[in-house]
Amino acid sequence: MKSITLDELAAMREDYSKDAKARVVRNALTKNDINTISRSFEAENRNPNIFTIDLKTMSATAQMQSGRCWIFSSLNVMREIIAKKYGIREFELSQNFVAFYDKLEKANWFMECILCELDAPLSSEKNRFILETAVGDGGQWNMLVSLVKKYGIAPKTAMGETYQSSHTRGMNGILNKRLRKFAVDVHEAHNAGKDEEIPAIKEACLTEIYSLIASCFGLPPQKFTFEYYDKDGKAHAEYDITPLEFYEKYLGVDLEQYISVINGPTADKPYHKTFTVEYLGNVVDGSPVKLLNVPMEELKKAIIDTLKDGEPVWFGCDCGKDGDRETGLWDDTQYAFEETFDMNLAMTKAQMLDARQSAMNHAMVITGVNLADDKPTRWKIENSWGDKPGNKGYFIASDTWFDQYVYVAAINVKYLSEESKAALTEEPAVLSPWDPFGTLAD
């Protein structure tokens, strides 16, 4: 390893001091945000809020101070299907209902993963990963499918938000401390040759965690009344319906037909192959995570075909790159950081994935696209950050940003190519737990 020498430091200081542009930038940054002085306002002009395909969807929802974007966005897709079928003007599905069972199932998943690694010390690579990630708010499409198929869905009127469901940090801290204590307890029992004590240790932990979640989120309804106005203003009501009955009757869609299609152009992930990620999931007896990798043009075509049929699309992306929350624009050309600081920042999508510069961290809904000569130029995005940011909670993504930072979409199998359908019959390759496509949208 080579240290920085004093001569090198002196040379860098002298070069910087002679740079008039650097002095201007330094002075500007004393009073301005780094994005402000690097902003290219032409990007906003290139992306007007106009789309050749523009689905008329409902008001934006708000996940508040929680990482439940994948739940909000998934349920926003489902509510549009329900609303279209029954002529409902405006409503929400209960995000809190799904989040309750997600937290409980994730706690059980964590404990089962720990039990799978009992013969390895807590300091092992996999145990360290399990312990560090523990249980958070985030998730992926397959995890949502597992929850809905097991527990159903409910309207928000049946189980509304609580302060804790909208502000999850405090509860998550308590939950994860208890789970890490479980990991310590079962390892000590195993190392002492007392494996017969482990089931009781797990049962006690799961019972305590259920109580914690119920106190924070409330008890999910076993039955409820569903009431709504149709487009003509007529009131409707159905009484004593269970969440599973509601899912089967009002949604009536086989969610297993929606495939997690990814675009991962790295050398270890050939196109038209399927993958799964070790220790990624939430429901032990649920749908396993299965990712189909395709070229971006194929993914875009499937999304556009879905939009043409009047259905919005759930997707996951890296929302932290090149975005402006106030204007509601994601565009990889709107910040000229390379020119501002005279730096070489260029990386391909594959390089960013391999170098951990980018990965999926947020899920939203695609509700429109602008086509010029049948090619997309920009995309309309329904977010779950409330109705204040962007265009009443809706955002715009340039097509070049889409290429760089969109990683996955839930696509009905009927929109896939024959080559992709054939790939779904193959056994998926198993990726390491820390693969970039194992990250959760939150």
Side-chain angles (χ1 to χ4, degrees):
M1 298 175 69
K2 181 181 181 299
S3 65
I4 300 173
T5 67
L6 294 179
D7 286 343
E8 288 173 329
L9 188 63
M12 286 188 287
R13 182 184 179 94
E14 182 178 359
D15 288 344
Y16 178 81
S17 299
K18 293 177 181 178
D19 189 336
K21 176 186 170 184
R23 182 170 63 253
V24 172
V25 169
R26 184 174 74 247
N27 290 334
L29 287 173
T30 61
K31 296 290 184 181
N32 293 282
D33 180 80
I34 198 167
N35 288 345
T36 301
I37 72 163
S38 302
R39 184 73 179 273
S40 173
F41 290 94
E42 291 83 356
E44 191 173 342
N45 298 332
R46 289 193 296 269
N47 292 282
N49 191 30
I50 299 172
F51 306 90
T52 53
I53 300 175
D54 189 354
L55 305 187
K56 303 308 176 187
T57 48
M58 292 182 234
S59 302
T61 53
Q63 66 188 81
M64 304 293 285
Q65 301 300 310
S66 73
R68 299 172 295 161
C69 65
W70 62 290
I71 295 176
F72 274 71
S73 52
S74 300
L75 295 182
N76 285 346
V77 170
M78 293 180 200
R79 71 170 174 164
E80 297 295 339
I81 296 172
I82 295 171
K84 187 175 182 180
K85 189 186 299 185
Y86 291 93
I88 303 174
R89 292 183 298 183
E90 190 80 34
F91 87 116
E92 285 186 47
L93 292 168
S94 174
Q95 303 90 1
N96 191 20
F97 175 84
V98 176
F100 178 97
Y101 289 114
D102 176 59
K103 276 286 188 287
L104 185 65
E105 289 285 356
K106 278 178 179 169
N108 183 64
W109 181 275
F110 172 94
M111 289 188 277
E112 289 299 313
C113 291
I114 287 293
L115 294 178
C116 287
E117 295 293 329
L118 267 184
D119 290 329
L122 288 174
S123 59
S124 72
E125 193 173 34
K126 288 183 181 178
N127 270 324
R128 188 170 69 248
F129 175 82
I130 296 167
L131 290 165
E132 286 176 353
T133 53
V135 170
D137 293 345
Q140 294 196 13
W141 174 259
N142 293 99
M143 296 164 70
L144 189 284
V145 172
S146 295
L147 292 167
V148 172
K149 289 190 66 180
K150 185 170 183 177
Y151 297 106
I153 52 178
K156 196 163 189 172
T157 51
M159 187 176 181
E161 292 288 293
T162 69
Y163 182 85
Q164 303 305 325
S165 69
S166 298
H167 303 76
T168 54
R169 182 175 180 180
M171 188 197 75
N172 285 347
I174 299 168
L175 172 64
N176 285 318
K177 185 173 184 180
R178 183 64 183 90
L179 287 173
R180 290 172 179 131
K181 173 179 167 50
F182 165 84
V184 170
D185 290 346
V186 295
H187 269 79
E188 288 181 350
H190 179 68
N191 293 338
K194 299 178 179 180
D195 283 0
E196 71 278 2
E197 297 180 2
I198 290 177
I201 294 172
K202 182 188 174 187
E203 182 180 357
C205 182
L206 195 60
T207 300
E208 291 175 26
I209 286 172
Y210 180 95
S211 179
L212 171 68
I213 301 170
S215 295
C216 291
F217 288 4
L219 282 170
Q222 295 178 314
K223 290 185 177 182
F224 54 84
T225 298
F226 179 47
E227 299 176 278
Y228 66 92
Y229 286 112
D230 65 23
K231 60 184 177 181
D232 298 320
K234 183 180 178 181
H236 299 260
E238 179 157 357
Y239 302 94
D240 294 327
I241 186 170
T242 70
L244 274 172
E245 289 170 345
F246 183 81
Y247 158 59
E248 291 163 359
K249 176 178 179 178
Y250 284 89
L251 185 63
V253 170
D254 182 6
L255 296 177
E256 295 281 10
Q257 293 298 303
Y258 288 78
I259 310 301
S260 289
V261 182
I262 66 171
N263 175 244
T266 50
D268 63 331
K269 297 180 183 69
Y271 288 137
H272 300 111
K273 297 292 182 181
T274 58
F275 302 87
T276 191
V277 181
E278 188 177 9
Y279 290 144
L280 175 63
N282 57 348
V283 181
V284 170
D285 55 348
S287 304
V289 172
K290 191 173 187 178
L291 310 171
L292 168 66
N293 194 24
V294 303
M296 179 53 84
E297 291 309 307
E298 186 173 335
L299 178 56
K300 285 182 185 177
K301 182 182 184 304
I303 293 171
I304 292 169
D305 288 345
T306 306
L307 292 172
K308 286 180 177 178
D309 283 346
E311 187 174 311
V313 178
W314 181 96
F315 80 109
C317 66
D318 181 353
C319 75
K321 304 295 189 298
D322 301 321
D324 187 312
R325 182 184 285 247
E326 182 178 347
T327 62
L329 176 64
W330 281 293
D331 188 331
D332 57 318
T333 68
Q334 73 175 320
Y335 298 113
F337 297 123
E338 288 192 337
E339 289 80 1
T340 299
F341 298 104
D342 295 324
M343 297 180 71
N344 182 2
L345 301 174
M347 298 177 74
T348 66
K349 189 174 189 177
Q351 289 170 336
M352 287 192 291
L353 285 166
D354 285 338
R356 298 299 175 129
Q357 169 60 19
S358 181
M360 181 187 71
N361 54 33
H362 191 50
M364 298 178 286
V365 181
I366 302 170
T367 65
V369 63
N370 189 68
L371 301 175
D373 297 325
D374 288 328
K375 299 292 184 182
T377 62
R378 57 185 174 273
W379 303 80
K380 185 179 180 182
I381 310 298
E382 178 186 0
N383 208 340
S384 55
W385 294 346
D387 60 4
K388 296 296 186 291
N391 306 290
K392 296 183 178 180
Y394 283 76
F395 284 60
I396 300 169
S398 72
D399 190 58
T400 52
W401 182 92
F402 198 96
D403 286 337
Q404 286 284 85
Y405 298 114
V406 168
Y407 291 107
V408 61
I411 301 296
N412 193 301
V413 68
K414 66 183 179 181
Y415 296 111
L416 298 178
S417 68
E418 292 304 315
E419 189 174 7
S420 288
K421 290 176 184 177
L424 294 175
T425 64
E426 301 172 0
E427 192 69 23
V430 180
L431 303 172
S432 63
W434 38 85
D435 188 90
F437 282 91
T439 61
L440 303 179
D442 59 11

